[in-house]
Amino acid sequence: MNIKKKIIFNKPFLNHDAKKNILDVLKKNSFTDGLYQRKCEIFIKKRINSQSIHLTHSCSSALEIAMMLIDLKKDDEVIIPSYTFTSTANCIIMRGAKPVFADVKLNDLNIDSKEIEKKINKKTKAIIIVHYAGIACDMSEILRIKKKYDLFLIEDAAHAFTGKYKNLYLGTIGDFGAFSFHETKNLIAGQGGALSINNKKFIKSAKFILDKGTDRSIIKNKKKYYSWKSVGSEYRAPELTSALLYSQLNNSKSMQKTRKNIWNYYHENLNALQTNLFYTLNKDTIHKESAYHVFPIIFQSKRFRDLFIKYMKAKNVECFFHYYPLHLSSYGKKISKHKLNNTEHVYNGLVRLPLYPGLKKEELSYIIKQIIRFDKKYKYLITNRHDM
């Protein structure tokens, strides 16, 4: 089969309710703190069994609020994976504190709990974990560490909405969870996010921050005015993005089922290949239910990663690598000079395959066939030790 039309890497899925909801917002002529924002918060809170949900501009905003709530200060330290997006570190830097980079495990690309414990000292105030690709971190061990050292735990669940660890939804296990509904994620608001507050003592303070430091949402009808109570900012998601997200939430189960089917198709076909050129992530079905956000394959070297991306592009299939490790970046080097072997290996080898509900069966079959052809073409180099 020949594919003439390019298979793009990602395409946001829109249903018929998206336009209807957006037109409804325009008709009502109300664009902030409205019906759809409340509907989304109620839906998400019930769906994932959260203590409190607040829709935000972005996952970045949600992380920033979490850092304000734990009163992160100058000279405090927060342990994070280096293999993540800049927002995971920026929320710490913006408070004058220091991110401490930890290595990941090769089997699931999540932060290594053993590495976390090695980096804890008197300055450590919190841990931010990232559920990479929508697959849960080792929560039992991380919760043990949190309790032992009395640390705050924040889940960066940008990839992981509706993912689970045992019977708990990701983003509801630590003190806080941060979700992303950016247009590249499973569910989209265009650009949006949500903060899950799982520690009840922070709910009231969160409302002050979200209401630009005022008690606006707390006073309701008790008095005629609201006043300045603390530091805050404009973090709440507007109505247009909330309306788009609500259309997605109502179709989220069927969308996730499609993503799961695609992920499983990749996994079954590529594991049957038994190649020594690359590996895929472990499929742990005992304690974890993935959100199926990313399907990565990890090559043995950067050379083969780059060859593969070039090869697939020539075959009209878009594939991309992922994060540039924070500790290797120009800004990250100002913070840490430590080498993180697994993180660097993953960066050098990782490629993400197309994964979204609009992918057709013939397109998926074509992608697998091209990967098999690439493997046949290049794996002899590994066998004959020509891999540089």
Side-chain angles (χ1 to χ4, degrees), residues 9-193:
F9 175 69
N10 182 64
K11 183 179 180 181
F13 178 81
L14 297 175
N15 56 54
H16 68 279
D17 286 336
K19 185 176 180 180
K20 183 182 77 174
N21 290 358
I22 289 170
L23 289 174
D24 187 44
V25 173
L26 296 174
K27 183 180 178 181
K28 286 183 169 66
N29 203 31
S30 177
F31 300 100
T32 58
D33 302 328
L35 175 67
Y36 287 102
Q37 182 200 92
R38 291 193 296 275
K39 280 185 171 183
C40 287
E41 290 177 344
I42 292 167
F43 188 106
I44 295 169
K45 184 177 184 292
K46 184 177 179 181
R47 176 72 183 276
I48 66 173
N49 195 27
S50 169
Q51 298 276 357
S52 182
I53 287 289
H54 303 275
L55 223 59
T56 59
H57 286 155
S58 62
C59 185
S60 301
S61 297
L63 289 169
E64 289 168 22
I65 296 166
M67 296 302 99
M68 294 172 73
L69 288 169
I70 68 171
D71 194 25
L72 193 66
K73 295 178 179 177
K74 185 179 179 181
D75 296 328
D76 286 340
E77 293 185 359
V78 180
I79 298 169
I80 68 171
S82 173
Y83 198 66
T84 183
F85 191 57
T86 54
S87 297
T88 315
N90 279 334
C91 65
I92 302 163
I93 297 291
M94 290 170 71
R95 301 290 298 170
K98 179 185 177 183
V100 176
F101 303 123
D103 212 348
V104 296
K105 296 180 294 176
L106 291 177
N107 69 323
D108 60 10
L109 314 190
N110 284 324
I111 192 167
D112 188 335
S113 56
K114 293 178 182 176
E115 294 299 309
I116 292 174
E117 198 155 17
K118 288 177 185 177
K119 295 179 182 293
I120 293 172
N121 60 42
K122 291 181 180 179
K123 294 182 178 181
T124 307
K125 189 163 189 175
I127 307 164
I128 303 180
I129 59 173
V130 177
H131 301 297
Y132 184 81
I135 298 174
C137 294
D138 183 3
M139 295 309 299
S140 294
E141 185 60 18
I142 290 169
L143 286 171
R144 180 194 69 78
I145 294 169
K146 165 186 164 55
K147 184 177 180 180
K148 179 179 178 180
Y149 298 97
D150 191 25
L151 302 173
F152 290 109
L153 177 61
I154 299 92
E155 297 174 78
D156 182 336
H159 294 185
F161 183 68
T162 72
K164 284 184 176 181
Y165 182 83
K166 297 185 178 178
N167 293 320
L168 300 173
Y169 282 97
L170 304 182
T172 69
I173 305 170
D175 295 289
F176 307 96
F179 299 105
S180 175
F181 302 115
H182 187 271
E183 71 166 352
T184 58
K185 299 303 189 295
N186 295 17
L187 304 180
I188 67 166
Q191 193 167 3

Side-chain angles (χ1 to χ4, degrees), residues 207-214 216 228 230-234:
K207 289 179 180 178
F208 290 153
I209 293 171
L210 285 153
D211 287 322
K212 297 175 279 293
T214 73
R216 184 181 61 172
W228 188 15
S230 72
V231 174
S233 189
E234 182 58 270

Side-chain angles (χ1 to χ4, degrees), residues 94-325:
M94 290 170 71
R95 301 290 298 170
K98 179 185 177 183
V100 176
F101 303 123
D103 212 348
V104 296
K105 296 180 294 176
L106 291 177
N107 69 323
D108 60 10
L109 314 190
N110 284 324
I111 192 167
D112 188 335
S113 56
K114 293 178 182 176
E115 294 299 309
I116 292 174
E117 198 155 17
K118 288 177 185 177
K119 295 179 182 293
I120 293 172
N121 60 42
K122 291 181 180 179
K123 294 182 178 181
T124 307
K125 189 163 189 175
I127 307 164
I128 303 180
I129 59 173
V130 177
H131 301 297
Y132 184 81
I135 298 174
C137 294
D138 183 3
M139 295 309 299
S140 294
E141 185 60 18
I142 290 169
L143 286 171
R144 180 194 69 78
I145 294 169
K146 165 186 164 55
K147 184 177 180 180
K148 179 179 178 180
Y149 298 97
D150 191 25
L151 302 173
F152 290 109
L153 177 61
I154 299 92
E155 297 174 78
D156 182 336
H159 294 185
F161 183 68
T162 72
K164 284 184 176 181
Y165 182 83
K166 297 185 178 178
N167 293 320
L168 300 173
Y169 282 97
L170 304 182
T172 69
I173 305 170
D175 295 289
F176 307 96
F179 299 105
S180 175
F181 302 115
H182 187 271
E183 71 166 352
T184 58
K185 299 303 189 295
N186 295 17
L187 304 180
I188 67 166
Q191 193 167 3
L195 174 68
S196 175
I197 302 175
N198 313 315
N199 188 329
K200 288 184 177 180
K201 73 177 184 180
F202 292 108
I203 293 176
K204 184 175 180 181
S205 299
K207 289 179 180 178
F208 290 153
I209 293 171
L210 285 153
D211 287 322
K212 297 175 279 293
T214 73
D215 58 359
R216 184 181 61 172
S217 64
I218 294 173
I219 62 164
K220 295 183 179 179
N221 297 320
K222 292 179 182 177
K223 54 185 179 180
K224 294 180 180 179
Y225 62 91
Y226 57 86
S227 62
W228 188 15
K229 295 293 183 182
S230 72
V231 174
S233 189
E234 182 58 270
Y235 286 117
R236 293 192 188 277
E239 271 296 270
L240 286 169
T241 55
S242 301
L244 175 56
L245 177 60
Y246 192 63
S247 73
Q248 300 266 303
L249 289 168
N250 279 323
N251 287 272
S252 58
K253 288 188 177 180
S254 62
M255 290 165 67
Q256 281 300 100
K257 185 178 179 180
T258 303
R259 296 186 75 96
K260 180 178 181 178
N261 289 340
I262 294 170
W263 199 99
N264 285 335
Y265 180 83
Y266 280 144
H267 188 267
E268 289 162 11
N269 282 275
L270 295 180
N271 277 271
L273 190 56
Q274 296 183 331
T275 180
N276 58 357
L277 202 58
F278 62 83
Y279 72 94
T280 62
L281 300 188
N282 285 358
K283 186 182 181 185
D284 185 343
T285 57
I286 300 172
H287 296 312
K288 301 176 183 179
E289 174 66 22
S290 177
Y292 305 103
H293 175 56
V294 172
F295 192 95
I297 57 178
I298 301 95
F299 285 90
Q300 297 295 340
S301 70
K302 186 174 182 294
R303 179 190 178 197
F304 285 112
R305 181 198 77 181
D306 294 345
L307 280 171
F308 177 77
I309 292 172
K310 185 178 179 181
Y311 176 89
M312 294 298 276
K313 184 179 180 181
K315 300 298 181 181
N316 269 344
V317 181
E318 282 188 339
C319 297
F320 294 101
F321 58 87
H322 211 178
Y323 304 125
Y324 188 82

